[in-house]
Amino acid sequence: MILNPDQLSAREKQILVGMFLSKFDEKGVAALGFDSFIEAFNALGYGLGGRPASIKNYRDEFDPLFPNKRKGWHKRPRRDYCVKLAANYQSLSLKNFARLVASFIGAPDQIIPSQPAEDDNLSPSSFAKRLITGRAAEQYFQAVYSRLPEFGQCDVEDTTMQGCGYDFRLWPKSGDKFRAVEVKGIADRSGWLSLTEKEHDSAAALGDRFYLFVVKNFREKPFHEMHANPLAGPLSFARKERQIVQVSWLAAA
């Protein structure tokens, strides 16, 4: 059994997510912080760089193995690679399997047991929110950007780990200056958007070359809206400051 996500392929991760949702059913959906299977398919599918339908299909393939109300693909033999993964991973508990799934997105610590003595009792987590507002929305953008007229003739550069105030640079093949894209995700059809100080500064500095790309409605069927130069458009951003108090305890030794 491989528990290091770096040693698993993208397809293996998607298969294991499908197995998790099949084995633990609605309890597994809730353990990850989702409200429904559809929301889980959307967020996990895009978050893993795949399609929501792929996660659903893998769940259905494993359904005949587990006691749930769905029949799944009971008339179709399971594929060999799914059989192999099932043999290695189906014994995992809810908590450990949920942490494995979260590790695929780089967030295993977002799955926290509410009572350490009870392995299968999980508290609500921020995993779903973090996935939707971050990785899933970013992967959605990467899947569709080449079809957008603003970016169709651009090469994309992922800057999510560079801390530059936006998630992607789009380099026009014409040689023009790059365009910056900050991606946000919202679970519902509408909601609040938040810009960090660095994101706001980048939007102000880049003007028409800065785009705010918002992916909405992960609960049902995701769609996107895009705002060029968002600080000068119909969106109204209000400055909000929050003071954080940090307490420490010192002792002479």
mmCIF file of all heavy atoms in Angstrom, residues 2 7 18 20 42-44 76 79 99-100 112 123 126 178 180 189 218 222 230 253:
data_model
loop_
_atom_site.group_PDB
_atom_site.id
_atom_site.type_symbol
_atom_site.label_atom_id
_atom_site.label_comp_id
_atom_site.label_asym_id
_atom_site.label_seq_id
_atom_site.Cartn_x
_atom_site.Cartn_y
_atom_site.Cartn_z
ATOM 1 N N ILE A 2 0.674 2.112 -0.977
ATOM 2 C CA ILE A 2 1.438 3.354 -1.078
ATOM 3 C C ILE A 2 0.620 4.493 -0.468
ATOM 4 O O ILE A 2 -0.501 4.753 -0.897
ATOM 5 C CB ILE A 2 1.768 3.669 -2.551
ATOM 6 C CG1 ILE A 2 2.626 2.551 -3.152
ATOM 7 C CG2 ILE A 2 2.490 5.010 -2.663
ATOM 8 C CD1 ILE A 2 2.864 2.717 -4.638
ATOM 9 N N GLN A 7 3.950 9.218 -5.051
ATOM 10 C CA GLN A 7 4.259 7.956 -5.714
ATOM 11 C C GLN A 7 3.047 7.364 -6.426
ATOM 12 O O GLN A 7 3.116 6.266 -6.960
ATOM 13 C CB GLN A 7 4.814 6.955 -4.697
ATOM 14 C CG GLN A 7 6.121 7.395 -4.050
ATOM 15 C CD GLN A 7 6.616 6.414 -2.997
ATOM 16 O OE1 GLN A 7 6.118 5.307 -2.887
ATOM 17 N NE2 GLN A 7 7.604 6.824 -2.229
ATOM 18 N N GLY A 18 -12.666 7.660 -6.060
ATOM 19 C CA GLY A 18 -13.905 6.957 -6.371
ATOM 20 C C GLY A 18 -14.174 5.823 -5.403
ATOM 21 O O GLY A 18 -15.308 5.622 -4.955
ATOM 22 N N PHE A 20 -13.088 5.608 -2.279
ATOM 23 C CA PHE A 20 -13.435 6.218 -0.993
ATOM 24 C C PHE A 20 -14.912 6.605 -0.955
ATOM 25 O O PHE A 20 -15.623 6.313 0.014
ATOM 26 C CB PHE A 20 -12.561 7.455 -0.769
ATOM 27 C CG PHE A 20 -12.950 8.274 0.434
ATOM 28 C CD1 PHE A 20 -12.536 7.914 1.696
ATOM 29 C CD2 PHE A 20 -13.737 9.410 0.296
ATOM 30 C CE1 PHE A 20 -12.898 8.660 2.814
ATOM 31 C CE2 PHE A 20 -14.105 10.165 1.391
ATOM 32 C CZ PHE A 20 -13.678 9.783 2.653
ATOM 33 N N ASN A 42 -17.432 17.430 -8.541
ATOM 34 C CA ASN A 42 -16.934 18.642 -9.199
ATOM 35 C C ASN A 42 -15.596 19.092 -8.609
ATOM 36 O O ASN A 42 -14.621 19.325 -9.337
ATOM 37 C CB ASN A 42 -17.960 19.767 -9.073
ATOM 38 C CG ASN A 42 -19.179 19.567 -9.949
ATOM 39 O OD1 ASN A 42 -19.094 18.953 -11.009
ATOM 40 N ND2 ASN A 42 -20.311 20.075 -9.521
ATOM 41 N N ALA A 43 -15.556 19.231 -7.287
ATOM 42 C CA ALA A 43 -14.352 19.764 -6.649
ATOM 43 C C ALA A 43 -13.179 18.795 -6.759
ATOM 44 O O ALA A 43 -12.052 19.198 -7.085
ATOM 45 C CB ALA A 43 -14.638 20.083 -5.184
ATOM 46 N N LEU A 44 -13.417 17.518 -6.504
ATOM 47 C CA LEU A 44 -12.333 16.540 -6.552
ATOM 48 C C LEU A 44 -11.911 16.248 -7.991
ATOM 49 O O LEU A 44 -10.725 16.049 -8.266
ATOM 50 C CB LEU A 44 -12.758 15.256 -5.845
ATOM 51 C CG LEU A 44 -12.921 15.390 -4.324
ATOM 52 C CD1 LEU A 44 -13.682 14.199 -3.750
ATOM 53 C CD2 LEU A 44 -11.563 15.519 -3.647
ATOM 54 N N ARG A 76 -20.849 -5.190 -15.173
ATOM 55 C CA ARG A 76 -19.603 -4.992 -15.918
ATOM 56 C C ARG A 76 -18.426 -5.399 -15.049
ATOM 57 O O ARG A 76 -18.332 -4.997 -13.881
ATOM 58 C CB ARG A 76 -19.486 -3.523 -16.315
ATOM 59 C CG ARG A 76 -18.147 -3.117 -16.889
ATOM 60 C CD ARG A 76 -18.175 -1.650 -17.276
ATOM 61 N NE ARG A 76 -16.823 -1.141 -17.505
ATOM 62 C CZ ARG A 76 -16.560 0.088 -17.920
ATOM 63 N NH1 ARG A 76 -17.559 0.929 -18.152
ATOM 64 N NH2 ARG A 76 -15.327 0.481 -18.099
ATOM 65 N N ARG A 79 -12.130 -3.295 -13.967
ATOM 66 C CA ARG A 79 -10.860 -3.289 -14.677
ATOM 67 C C ARG A 79 -9.733 -3.729 -13.745
ATOM 68 O O ARG A 79 -9.776 -3.503 -12.540
ATOM 69 C CB ARG A 79 -10.595 -1.891 -15.251
ATOM 70 C CG ARG A 79 -11.522 -1.550 -16.412
ATOM 71 C CD ARG A 79 -11.532 -0.081 -16.739
ATOM 72 N NE ARG A 79 -12.282 0.702 -15.751
ATOM 73 C CZ ARG A 79 -12.612 1.976 -15.907
ATOM 74 N NH1 ARG A 79 -12.255 2.613 -17.019
ATOM 75 N NH2 ARG A 79 -13.291 2.615 -14.973
ATOM 76 N N ARG A 99 -7.780 11.149 5.059
ATOM 77 C CA ARG A 99 -6.503 11.867 5.094
ATOM 78 C C ARG A 99 -5.684 11.580 3.830
ATOM 79 O O ARG A 99 -4.992 12.460 3.323
ATOM 80 C CB ARG A 99 -5.715 11.480 6.339
ATOM 81 C CG ARG A 99 -6.266 12.089 7.625
ATOM 82 C CD ARG A 99 -5.457 11.653 8.835
ATOM 83 N NE ARG A 99 -4.073 12.101 8.728
ATOM 84 C CZ ARG A 99 -3.639 13.304 9.120
ATOM 85 N NH1 ARG A 99 -4.496 14.176 9.634
ATOM 86 N NH2 ARG A 99 -2.375 13.638 9.004
ATOM 87 N N LEU A 100 -5.765 10.354 3.335
ATOM 88 C CA LEU A 100 -5.071 10.027 2.096
ATOM 89 C C LEU A 100 -5.629 10.846 0.935
ATOM 90 O O LEU A 100 -4.879 11.423 0.147
ATOM 91 C CB LEU A 100 -5.195 8.531 1.803
ATOM 92 C CG LEU A 100 -4.561 8.052 0.486
ATOM 93 C CD1 LEU A 100 -3.045 8.253 0.517
ATOM 94 C CD2 LEU A 100 -4.903 6.581 0.225
ATOM 95 N N ILE A 112 -9.424 16.194 10.459
ATOM 96 C CA ILE A 112 -9.054 16.074 11.870
ATOM 97 C C ILE A 112 -10.103 15.248 12.610
ATOM 98 O O ILE A 112 -11.295 15.551 12.555
ATOM 99 C CB ILE A 112 -8.953 17.470 12.534
ATOM 100 C CG1 ILE A 112 -7.954 18.328 11.749
ATOM 101 C CG2 ILE A 112 -8.547 17.351 13.984
ATOM 102 C CD1 ILE A 112 -7.926 19.771 12.187
ATOM 103 N N SER A 123 -14.708 15.378 12.499
ATOM 104 C CA SER A 123 -15.329 16.690 12.655
ATOM 105 C C SER A 123 -15.425 17.369 11.299
ATOM 106 O O SER A 123 -14.710 17.033 10.362
ATOM 107 C CB SER A 123 -14.477 17.545 13.603
ATOM 108 O OG SER A 123 -13.202 17.752 13.039
ATOM 109 N N SER A 126 -12.254 22.082 6.891
ATOM 110 C CA SER A 126 -12.166 23.163 5.912
ATOM 111 C C SER A 126 -11.636 22.657 4.583
ATOM 112 O O SER A 126 -11.362 23.451 3.685
ATOM 113 C CB SER A 126 -11.249 24.272 6.449
ATOM 114 O OG SER A 126 -9.950 23.763 6.679
ATOM 115 N N PHE A 178 2.751 40.225 -20.705
ATOM 116 C CA PHE A 178 1.936 39.157 -20.128
ATOM 117 C C PHE A 178 0.641 39.705 -19.528
ATOM 118 O O PHE A 178 0.539 40.888 -19.191
ATOM 119 C CB PHE A 178 2.723 38.390 -19.069
ATOM 120 C CG PHE A 178 2.931 39.140 -17.771
ATOM 121 C CD1 PHE A 178 1.976 39.118 -16.763
ATOM 122 C CD2 PHE A 178 4.101 39.861 -17.554
ATOM 123 C CE1 PHE A 178 2.158 39.805 -15.572
ATOM 124 C CE2 PHE A 178 4.303 40.553 -16.360
ATOM 125 C CZ PHE A 178 3.322 40.525 -15.365
ATOM 126 N N ALA A 180 -2.059 38.866 -16.341
ATOM 127 C CA ALA A 180 -2.099 38.175 -15.052
ATOM 128 C C ALA A 180 -3.526 37.740 -14.742
ATOM 129 O O ALA A 180 -4.478 38.487 -14.985
ATOM 130 C CB ALA A 180 -1.585 39.097 -13.946
ATOM 131 N N ARG A 189 -23.827 29.798 -6.621
ATOM 132 C CA ARG A 189 -23.907 30.624 -7.829
ATOM 133 C C ARG A 189 -23.481 32.071 -7.564
ATOM 134 O O ARG A 189 -23.219 32.830 -8.498
ATOM 135 C CB ARG A 189 -25.343 30.605 -8.379
ATOM 136 C CG ARG A 189 -25.814 29.215 -8.803
ATOM 137 C CD ARG A 189 -27.209 29.268 -9.411
ATOM 138 N NE ARG A 189 -27.199 29.968 -10.691
ATOM 139 C CZ ARG A 189 -26.938 29.389 -11.857
ATOM 140 N NH1 ARG A 189 -26.673 28.092 -11.909
ATOM 141 N NH2 ARG A 189 -26.962 30.090 -12.979
ATOM 142 N N PHE A 218 -19.881 25.173 -7.720
ATOM 143 C CA PHE A 218 -19.357 23.808 -7.570
ATOM 144 C C PHE A 218 -20.403 22.865 -6.980
ATOM 145 O O PHE A 218 -20.287 21.652 -7.124
ATOM 146 C CB PHE A 218 -18.107 23.816 -6.686
ATOM 147 C CG PHE A 218 -16.852 24.159 -7.429
ATOM 148 C CD1 PHE A 218 -16.397 25.467 -7.492
ATOM 149 C CD2 PHE A 218 -16.125 23.181 -8.080
ATOM 150 C CE1 PHE A 218 -15.236 25.783 -8.186
ATOM 151 C CE2 PHE A 218 -14.967 23.479 -8.774
ATOM 152 C CZ PHE A 218 -14.518 24.791 -8.828
ATOM 153 N N PRO A 222 -20.270 23.749 -12.338
ATOM 154 C CA PRO A 222 -19.432 24.945 -12.344
ATOM 155 C C PRO A 222 -19.506 25.732 -13.650
ATOM 156 O O PRO A 222 -19.617 25.164 -14.736
ATOM 157 C CB PRO A 222 -18.012 24.377 -12.135
ATOM 158 C CG PRO A 222 -18.223 23.055 -11.474
ATOM 159 C CD PRO A 222 -19.496 22.523 -12.061
ATOM 160 N N PRO A 230 -10.486 44.350 -12.550
ATOM 161 C CA PRO A 230 -11.640 44.260 -11.647
ATOM 162 C C PRO A 230 -11.819 45.450 -10.712
ATOM 163 O O PRO A 230 -12.942 45.725 -10.282
ATOM 164 C CB PRO A 230 -11.355 42.977 -10.849
ATOM 165 C CG PRO A 230 -9.873 42.797 -10.934
ATOM 166 C CD PRO A 230 -9.496 43.292 -12.298
ATOM 167 N N ALA A 253 15.142 29.581 32.234
ATOM 168 C CA ALA A 253 15.671 28.227 32.434
ATOM 169 C C ALA A 253 17.174 28.277 32.674
ATOM 170 O O ALA A 253 17.851 29.219 32.308
ATOM 171 C CB ALA A 253 15.377 27.372 31.209
#
